């Protein structure tokens, strides 16, 4: 499977422009042969546009995710629609609360059908209003795409390894991590991402944004790691599309060759 990470230039509260850039990235990646395209965290509003979260919140059937479903369908490519600020009260179906806002990621298949919803479990409170404005998710789903069992987590979740172990025990062979990770914590970004891949012996891809918001700059460096923790593909902090060709059989091969996964004691 060819995986593409769309490191978008995200502009605070420029929803129309950000969604257009996401559409263009999906089209470009599909034209380049991608099977799955992943977008960053809160790619439509911009993570640090906290004062606009409430005004810009949408249900899962809202215009941003509808546009991404259309892009998936039109280009015949699976799309992880990064995350958006979800209006829980306006979303039909099972939600973790009757009201409030959530940081929600949606995975669409190549037909534009919704396959997975992940609402960020760990909300960031350090120099961030996210924990004050949003409610945490509770569900942990996976979906089959291109021979992989795909799981999703979001940004700050990287600091909580038990979440990734739960996904791995649930069969995940690829975990996608849409993010809005800023400078200066470059080494945390590298080490935590690589560790989650190594300790669970699976593929892990981090999809960060690019851009500056009121003095806070996203560090980019969207990266794909294999089950050994080898870096397969990465970039700097400028807008880019990062690609890697990955094989689900590699997960089984690594676990058989170095059976740490089988040697766990509970």
């Amino acid at each position: 499977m060819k995986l593409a990470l769309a490191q978008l230039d995200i502009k605070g509260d420029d929803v129309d422009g950000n969604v257009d850039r996401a559409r263009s990235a999906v089209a470009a990646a599909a034209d380049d042969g991608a099977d799955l395209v992943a977008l960053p965290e809160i790619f439509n509003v911009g993570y640090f546009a906290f004062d606009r979260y409430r005004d810009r919140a949408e249900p899962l059937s809202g215009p941003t995710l509808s546009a991404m479903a259309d892009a998936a369908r039109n280009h015949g490519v699976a799309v992880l629609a990064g995350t958006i600020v979800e209006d829980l009260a306006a979303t039909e179906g099972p939600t973790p609360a009757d009201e409030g806002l959530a940081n929600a990621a949606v995975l669409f298949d190549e037909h534009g059908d919704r396959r997975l919803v992940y609402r960020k479990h760990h909300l960031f409170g350090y120099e961030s209003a996210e924990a004050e404005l949003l409610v945490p998710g509770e569900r942990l789903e996976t979906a089959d795409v291109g021979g992989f069992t795909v799981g999703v987590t979001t940004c700050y979740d990287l600091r909580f390894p038990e979440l990734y172990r739960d996904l791995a025990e649930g069969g995940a062979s690829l975990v996608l991590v849409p993010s809005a990770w800023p400078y200066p914590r470059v080494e945390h970004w590298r080490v935590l991402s690589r560790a989650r891949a190594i300790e669970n012996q699976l593929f892990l891809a981090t999809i960060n944004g690019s851009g500056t918001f009121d003095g806070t700059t996203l560090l980019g460096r969207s990266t794909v790691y294999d089950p050994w923790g080898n870096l397969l593909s990465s970039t700097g902090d400028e807008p880019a599309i990062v690609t890697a060709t990955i094989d689900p059989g590699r997960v089984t091969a690594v676990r058989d060759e170095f059976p740490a996964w089988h040697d766990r004691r509970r």
Side-chain angles (χ1 to χ4, degrees):
M1 181 173 75
K2 187 170 184 177
L3 172 63
L5 315 180
Q7 185 167 293
L8 302 176
D9 180 16
I10 300 172
K11 310 221 179 266
D13 198 34
D14 179 18
V15 173
D16 291 342
N18 291 332
V19 172
D20 283 345
R21 282 183 281 276
R23 281 197 193 97
S24 296
V26 171
D31 287 345
D32 191 42
D35 301 295
L36 170 59
V37 185
L39 306 176
E41 182 179 18
I42 309 190
F43 69 95
N44 59 343
V45 180
Y47 177 83
F48 293 95
F50 300 120
D51 60 340
R52 303 310 307 275
Y53 275 20
R54 193 164 300 280
D55 293 341
R56 296 296 194 174
E58 303 177 16
L60 297 187
S61 59
T64 295
L65 294 181
S66 294
M68 293 301 101
D70 288 344
R73 186 181 308 110
N74 292 340
H75 297 287
V77 61
V79 174
L80 175 69
T83 76
I84 67 162
V85 180
E86 179 193 4
D87 181 351
L88 292 167
T91 289
E92 297 180 358
T95 60
D98 293 329
E99 59 183 13
L101 308 178
N103 187 336
V106 177
L107 177 64
F108 297 101
D109 65 18
E110 69 275 18
H111 306 294
D113 295 327
R114 189 190 305 165
R115 298 292 306 280
L116 177 157
V117 177
Y118 173 75
R119 297 177 177 95
K120 189 175 183 180
H121 281 206
H122 300 94
L123 302 179
F124 197 47
Y126 175 77
E127 297 182 353
S128 165
E130 182 183 44
E132 299 173 11
L133 296 171
L134 307 184
V135 297
E138 302 292 340
R139 300 173 67 188
L140 198 59
E141 303 177 0
T142 59
D144 293 333
V145 178
F148 284 89
T149 299
V150 180
V152 179
T153 67
T154 305
C155 201
Y156 189 46
D157 284 330
L158 278 169
R159 296 184 180 273
F160 302 90
E162 60 275 12
L163 188 62
Y164 297 82
R165 182 51 52 91
D166 287 345
L167 279 169
E169 289 183 338
S173 51
L174 167 64
V175 179
L176 304 174
V177 191
S179 302
W181 201 284
Y183 285 103
R185 295 182 290 277
V186 176
E187 289 308 311
H188 293 195
W189 173 252
R190 289 172 171 155
V191 171
L192 293 171
S193 303
R194 191 178 185 194
R196 300 296 84 86
I198 292 170
E199 66 199 5
N200 293 295
Q201 297 182 305
L202 47 67
F203 287 94
L204 187 134
T206 55
I207 312 96
N208 206 13
S210 177
T212 299
F213 307 81
D214 296 328
T216 300
T217 301
L218 300 180
L219 58 81
R221 292 172 173 79
S222 299
T223 304
V224 182
Y225 295 97
D226 79 357
W228 271 118
N230 295 319
L231 188 154
L232 299 183
S233 188
S234 190
T235 189
D237 61 8
E238 297 298 319
I241 296 179
V242 178
T243 63
T245 299
I246 57 178
D247 179 358
R250 180 69 174 149
V251 175
T252 301
V254 168
R255 291 179 180 180
D256 287 345
E257 179 181 351
F258 190 80
W261 183 252
H262 304 291
D263 292 340
R264 292 171 302 140
R265 297 182 65 193
R266 300 179 187 278

